[in-house]
Amino acid sequence: MSEFVRIVEVGPRDGLQNESKMLTVAQRVELIKRLADCGHKTIEAGAFVSPKWVPQMADTASVLASLPKFAGVNLPVLVPNARGMEDAIAAGAKEVAIFTAASDEFNIKNTNVTIAESYKRFAEVFDLANQHGIKVRGYISTVVGCPYSGDVKAAKVAEVAAKLLQIGCYEISLGDTIGVGTPKSTKKMLKAVLEEVPVEKLALHCHDTYGQAIANIYAGLEMGIRVFDASTAGLGGCPYAKGASGNVATEDVVYMLNCEGFETGLAMPKLIETAHYAASLVGKSPQGKVAHALKV
Ligand code: HMG
Ligand code: MG
């Protein structure tokens, strides 16, 4: 039997947050429905962050309220602080994601606090999460390089990952936010993190800025990682990471995984159709390769 790899679809959050075209609630809902129909079991549905900082994620509560109950599909939302967590709980979220970075410079630009200060916010988020039985995933941005301070030390990533594990994150997603990683630097970073965090608690979140995402994901596979974040049509980037192109396209990752003999539970024809739909919503063509190669 094929080994299973879990894809965390981040297009409706990480993708749309950086597109200049603002979607309506109805369009965001339709995109999530189509992604669920592809077979996705984890779809990041939005963010309870300040709409002054990221206007694209405003109205996430309305998005959640408009979605049907999909059996077996998790719809995590991003929360930066207790205020976001309260909003997520009020909107009925069952899973959230907190986020910090391996570079203080980036974290300050992204959230107005240092990495250490972000832990204080997370303690408040966890108080609420524990009271309400909500699962918390943790993101670390800039795990290989930072747009403001350059190279990031693998030891720093490992230190932050250990902290997120210790405070109770069920999974830690390692984000190459600006896509500067190569297989060598990705493996070096993973080697350091794996000394602190068991492999089954890790996910890799690659951006394709320099076309290295699939190579880096393969490096992650070789190191035992079996959870990868990806974005339909390669939408997005990061509003506080100048020059970051989108997350790696989901359909490109799934194509590689299928060819390498892994199972994802995702239906390729629907992924392709959805990528074209997602791209059309933001007035682009799909950013990956496979959506073009397999278009019917
Ligand atoms: P701040 O200005 O320091 O916050 O922003 P504050 O506590 O001083 O509050 C200022 C105002 O914001 C107040 O309103 C608060 O009520 C409001 P005012 O009195 O001015 O009217 N506020 C909020 N409003 C809505 N939702 C909230 C919230 N909190 C406070 N949760 C804050 C701090 C964290 C809010 C801000 O910096 C922020 O929202 N940042 C979000 C940045 C973001 O979403 N970035 C993208 C996601 S990270 C990413 O993409 C990377 C990742 O994908 C992995 C990777 O690729 O590397 C995860
Ligand atoms: Mg990202």
Side-chain angles (χ1 to χ4, degrees):
M1 213 174 77
S2 307
E3 199 179 346
F4 191 77
V5 168
R6 189 160 66 88
I7 300 293
V8 174
E9 171 57 53
V10 297
R13 193 281 301 172
D14 200 3
L16 295 183
Q17 76 180 9
N18 200 41
E19 295 293 340
S20 49
K21 181 113 190 290
M22 301 271 286
L23 300 196
T24 64
V25 167
Q27 287 172 320
R28 289 162 67 186
V29 167
E30 179 61 22
L31 176 59
I32 293 167
K33 282 185 184 168
R34 290 186 189 216
L35 289 165
D37 193 43
C38 291
H40 281 293
K41 298 295 178 213
T42 311
I43 306 169
E44 224 173 40
F48 288 96
V49 297
S50 166
K52 285 185 195 146
W53 286 61
V54 186
Q56 293 89 335
M57 289 294 103
D59 300 322
T60 290
S62 305
V63 171
L64 292 187
S66 309
L67 283 167
K69 297 239 173 309
F70 304 112
V73 179
N74 296 324
L75 299 169
V77 289
L78 208 66
V79 300
N81 54 13
R83 158 73 198 276
M85 188 64 180
E86 282 159 7
D87 292 350
I89 292 164
K94 301 277 179 275
E95 180 176 332
V96 299
I98 54 174
F99 54 108
T100 187
S103 142
D104 272 323
E105 290 82 353
F106 179 83
N107 209 52
I108 291 167
K109 287 268 200 297
N110 196 26
T111 61
N112 220 10
V113 289
T114 62
I115 300 164
E117 286 163 345
S118 71
Y119 299 153
K120 292 183 203 148
R121 289 179 174 175
F122 298 160
E124 294 171 2
V125 169
F126 265 100
D127 279 349
L128 290 163
N130 293 336
Q131 281 168 41
H132 293 266
I134 291 176
K135 282 172 75 179
V136 183
R137 191 176 199 241
Y139 276 110
I140 307 174
S141 290
T142 61
V143 296
V144 190
C146 169
Y148 310 108
S149 60
D151 287 350
V152 168
K153 289 201 164 48
K156 183 67 190 177
V157 186
E159 176 201 309
V160 179
K163 177 72 180 176
L164 293 188
L165 181 71
Q166 180 241 318
I167 63 176
C169 291
Y170 80 90
E171 186 169 279
I172 297 156
S173 174
L174 302 165
D176 179 12
T177 312
I178 53 172
V180 290
T182 60
K184 194 173 172 183
S185 53
T186 301
K187 282 188 168 177
K188 186 176 172 200
M189 179 274 297
L190 284 174
K191 188 168 177 289
V193 174
L194 283 166
E195 282 170 24
E196 302 291 337
V197 180
V199 72
E200 61 276 10
K201 297 266 182 189
L202 292 175
L204 198 55
H205 177 114
C206 295
H207 285 238
D208 207 23
T209 319
Y210 296 91
Q212 303 300 303
I214 293 292
N216 294 339
I217 288 169
Y218 194 80
L221 279 170
E222 288 189 321
M223 302 280 290
I225 304 287
R226 292 294 180 268
V227 184
F228 297 95
D229 300 354
S231 173
T232 180
L235 295 184
C238 178
Y240 301 102
K242 195 165 167 282
S245 74
N247 284 88
V248 63
T250 307
E251 53 282 4
D252 287 10
V253 180
V254 173
Y255 177 85
M256 183 272 278
L257 291 170
N258 286 347
C259 294
E260 293 295 319
F262 292 96
E263 175 55 53
T264 61
L266 297 166
M268 185 55 87
K270 283 186 179 170
L271 289 179
I272 301 299
E273 206 182 303
T274 305
H276 282 275
Y277 172 73
S280 74
L281 288 176
V282 298
K284 284 182 171 174
S285 67
Q287 300 296 293
K289 298 277 190 199
V290 173
H292 298 288
L294 296 184
K295 189 173 189 307
V296 276

